[in-house]
Amino acid sequence: MTDQAQTGNDDRADLLIRGADRVVVFDAATDNHAYLHAADVAVRGGRIVYVGRSYGGTAQREISGRGMMVMPGLVNLHSHPWSESMNRGFGEDMVNPCLRCTMYEHKPGWGDDREGWRATANVAYAELLRSGVTSLTDITTPYDGWIENFAASGLRGFAAPMMRSALWSLDREGEKVSWNWFADDGRESFARGLEAVDAAIAHESGRMSAMIMPAQVDTCSERFLQEALEAARKRGIGLQTHACQVLPEIREMQRRHGLSPVAWLQAIGVLGPDVTLSHAPFLDHHSWLENEENDDPGDLRRLGTAGAHIAHCPTVLTRYGVMLEDLRRYRQAGVGISLGTDTAPQNMLEEMRLAAVMARTAARDPAAGSTAAVFEAATLGGARALLRDDIGRIRVGACADLVLVDLTHPSMAPGHDPLRCLVFSAAERPVKDVFVAGRQVVKDGRVLTLDEPAAATTMTAANRRALEAFSKFDRAERPPETASPPVLPLACEISGKQRKA
Ligand SMILES: [Zn+2]
């Protein structure tokens, strides 16, 4: 690896990281990352201007890279910051045996409380930043002040306002899902979404962009999806939609069209290198579907041929007993792999660990999910889905989105391969400093751009309100403690004999 320098070293850099033990650099020859030992990284105007052995210029601010690894900020392609942190401790043990998923069950974070949404989002943004995320796709029901709040987090933001032609509802028994179509086919929802997309793209920070997000493949009409892709292409941005995520959706799409969701998307012209399917475990080869053509994975071929991507979020799948079968097969078929944190925790490094472990488990092969493959998915994979060649990598000209990992942190000892230690053992603990566009947003593990404890306090108060209102939204008007019983019984129910002892 030779030094990369865009200009002479005479110009003063804004920031110089001098003498880092390791830098994870982008190697254009392999279109992937490589380790560079003992190197400098210089930043000017929010971009990387030097990566190499010895920066000859001066800098306004110089920090020592001694004992540090500099890696590119992680690119998270799928997250719902407005709601999911408020569902912590509530939904994880929920079981709906009829549907084999709990997606349609009401949860506290899904109420209509703007103050709660903002606080919950700030809790998530902080957690994401501390786990090294610098680019975030924020999939949200658009609300007033959302884009401003998102931008204020300091993240490089990709606003993905959910838009749809229909809403789900679940019957009282929790057995049957219904699709309730809007009379206007979602025109109003579409217009509101586009407004948020354009506001993000035009944001004065220059740090914000967007994805077009028809919410789910089964809640959007054919015309809606086609126009959504047209809107994405007009703006040069990607489209993402939840697809092949639960069994009721697969059955419904079969009933409507006689096709798998992927085959239908292909038939209506909504697949391509600018299309990402969120989750997508239930392609037509998945063992739960018991399709006869199991040996001919048509959906994988369709996605791979189109150059489409998936946003893989293993925590939310495996929590409810679902396995993506399997990540290596998707890669081999040519499907782009990116990662996201669909649920709480919003910890990208833990998500990477689970992605590697589950890839091996699903393939029944310990070689099936390497650290290199999940690191690529969490950086370059996300960037490709966002149609960006200037994020998720450290090279001259790329955005200065950088993460400094403290190699001397006890969780990183004894110092074998740093990325492997980070993903398999340490997670966010040694993440020391984070920069987005050259601006420091995390210092010594603490988020500088927002008040994380205050956000948690506000979220807790909003959660109390959400629990009070819970039964109004629940399918059977159940109180929250019935919908999600406590992990342990209350101590007053202990028998008299035990109490005496
Ligand atoms: Zn999602």
Side-chain angles (χ1 to χ4, degrees):
M1 175 70 51
T2 54
D3 287 9
Q4 304 177 4
Q6 188 178 42
T7 58
N9 288 341
D10 309 333
D11 299 316
R12 198 168 158 83
D14 302 329
L15 171 71
L16 172 64
I17 303 164
R18 174 84 78 187
D21 285 19
R22 301 268 183 127
V23 179
V24 176
V25 293
F26 181 72
D27 185 350
T30 60
D31 193 29
N32 214 323
H33 304 289
Y35 280 136
L36 181 64
H37 287 252
D40 302 342
V41 179
V43 171
R44 188 170 54 243
R47 299 261 165 185
I48 296 166
V49 291
Y50 179 88
V51 186
R53 295 287 183 208
S54 180
Y55 180 69
T58 56
Q60 253 180 48
R61 181 183 174 202
E62 182 171 323
I63 48 181
S64 170
R66 206 188 168 125
M68 295 287 160
M69 171 172 71
V70 185
M71 67 174 200
L74 304 175
V75 180
N76 183 329
L77 210 75
H78 191 100
S79 173
H80 304 284
W82 64 285
S83 60
E84 292 312 302
S85 297
M86 203 197 279
N87 296 330
R88 281 180 194 165
F90 191 91
E92 292 88 339
D93 287 334
M94 274 185 157
V95 178
N96 179 323
C98 311
L99 299 175
R100 266 175 117 166
C101 77
T102 58
M103 195 173 73
Y104 308 99
E105 300 282 3
H106 180 65
K107 298 182 186 77
W110 298 351
D112 189 11
D113 182 335
R114 305 303 147 97
E115 194 191 339
W117 290 2
R118 252 191 301 276
T120 304
N122 285 339
V123 168
Y125 296 149
E127 195 179 357
L128 288 161
L129 283 165
R130 286 190 290 98
S131 73
V133 171
T134 54
S135 287
L136 176 68
T137 307
D138 178 343
I139 303 169
T140 289
T141 300
Y143 57 93
D144 290 345
W146 164 41
I147 300 295
E148 277 312 317
N149 193 50
F150 187 15
S153 71
L155 282 154
R156 185 174 300 286
F158 294 83
M162 282 194 279
M163 39 171 100
R164 60 178 91 228
S165 328
L167 277 173
W168 297 310
S169 64
L170 189 57
D171 70 347
R172 212 181 151 76
E173 288 69 38
E175 291 173 355
K176 196 172 168 293
V177 185
S178 300
W179 284 260
N180 310 303
W181 296 88
F182 299 140
D184 70 347
D185 189 34
R187 305 320 301 166
E188 197 191 321
S189 164
F190 195 96
R192 204 166 352 118
L194 280 194
E195 210 177 288
V197 161
D198 290 332
I201 292 171
H203 193 267
E204 60 183 8
S205 66
R207 200 177 3 96
M208 307 294 284
S209 184
M211 278 194 115
I212 300 283
M213 185 82 203
Q216 296 89 13
V217 69
D218 51 314
T219 59
C220 294
S221 70
E222 175 178 332
R223 193 183 73 158
F224 193 100
L225 284 162
Q226 288 164 336
E227 290 183 11
L229 187 55
E230 224 177 276
R233 288 184 175 161
K234 202 172 127 199
R235 290 163 177 78
I237 59 176
L239 174 146
Q240 184 173 173
T241 188
H242 291 89
C244 310
Q245 51 174 350
V246 283
L247 295 178
E249 168 210 326
I250 305 294
R251 284 188 217 115
E252 172 66 9
M253 296 301 278
Q254 278 291 347
R255 188 195 66 76
R256 279 185 215 163
H257 311 292
L259 294 170
S260 73
V262 173
W264 181 66
L265 285 171
Q266 185 190 44
I268 66 167
V270 185
L271 276 190
D274 45 3
V275 172
T276 299
L277 305 188
S278 326
H279 310 313
F282 291 116
L283 302 191
D284 57 2
H285 69 274
H286 195 279
S287 60
W288 285 14
L289 298 177
E290 294 171 352
N291 284 333
E292 281 170 16
E293 64 270 39
N294 239 3
D295 296 334
D296 172 27
D299 282 349
L300 272 182
R301 211 181 42 236
R302 287 178 193 106
L303 288 178
T305 307
H309 311 260
I310 61 160
H312 180 41
C313 308
T315 300
V316 78
L317 297 185
T318 55
R319 179 175 290 163
Y320 300 114
V322 176
M323 201 152 63
L324 182 134
E325 298 171 348
D326 58 72
L327 201 60
R328 182 168 62 182
R329 281 183 84 184
Y330 283 58
R331 277 168 63 88
Q332 287 169 344
V335 181
I337 311 291
S338 65
L339 296 182
T341 52
D342 185 70
T343 182
Q346 301 274 354
N347 188 317
M348 192 68 169
L349 290 161
E350 289 185 353
E351 204 75 37
M352 288 160 74
R353 181 191 306 163
L354 192 61
V357 168
M358 291 314 297
R360 298 170 191 195
T361 309
R364 300 178 187 194
D365 178 356
S370 68
T371 310
V374 296
F375 187 71
E376 181 186 358
T379 51
L380 302 170
R384 290 174 195 134
L386 290 164
L387 314 179
R388 292 284 294 258
D389 64 3
D390 62 346
I391 57 172
R393 71 204 70 201
I394 295 181
R395 65 157 172 82
V396 168
C399 296
D401 300 350
L402 304 168
V403 175
L404 267 69
V405 178
D406 180 2
L407 301 177
T408 67
H409 190 278
S411 62
M412 294 293 281
H416 291 301
D417 191 289
L419 279 176
R420 199 175 288 128
C421 286
L422 186 69
V423 169
F424 277 93
S425 294
E428 84 289 359
R429 285 172 287 178
V431 172
K432 189 173 181 292
D433 299 329
V434 179
F435 296 83
V436 177
R439 173 192 178 206
Q440 187 155 18
V441 289
V442 173
K443 186 173 191 299
D444 294 325
R446 204 174 58 81
V447 178
L448 301 176
T449 46
L450 51 87
D451 186 342
E452 190 177 6
T457 304
T458 309
M459 178 178 85
T460 302
N463 183 55
R464 220 167 286 137
R465 296 194 290 276
L467 292 179
E468 274 163 25
F470 184 88
S471 56
K472 267 194 279 178
F473 297 96
D474 182 72
R475 60 177 160 82
E477 292 108 44
R478 295 170 298 175
E481 57 278 13
T482 306
S484 172
V487 173
L488 303 175
L490 294 176
C492 61
E493 290 165 19
I494 289 177
S495 70
K497 196 174 155 198
Q498 277 176 306
R499 216 179 290 136
K500 259 181 251 156

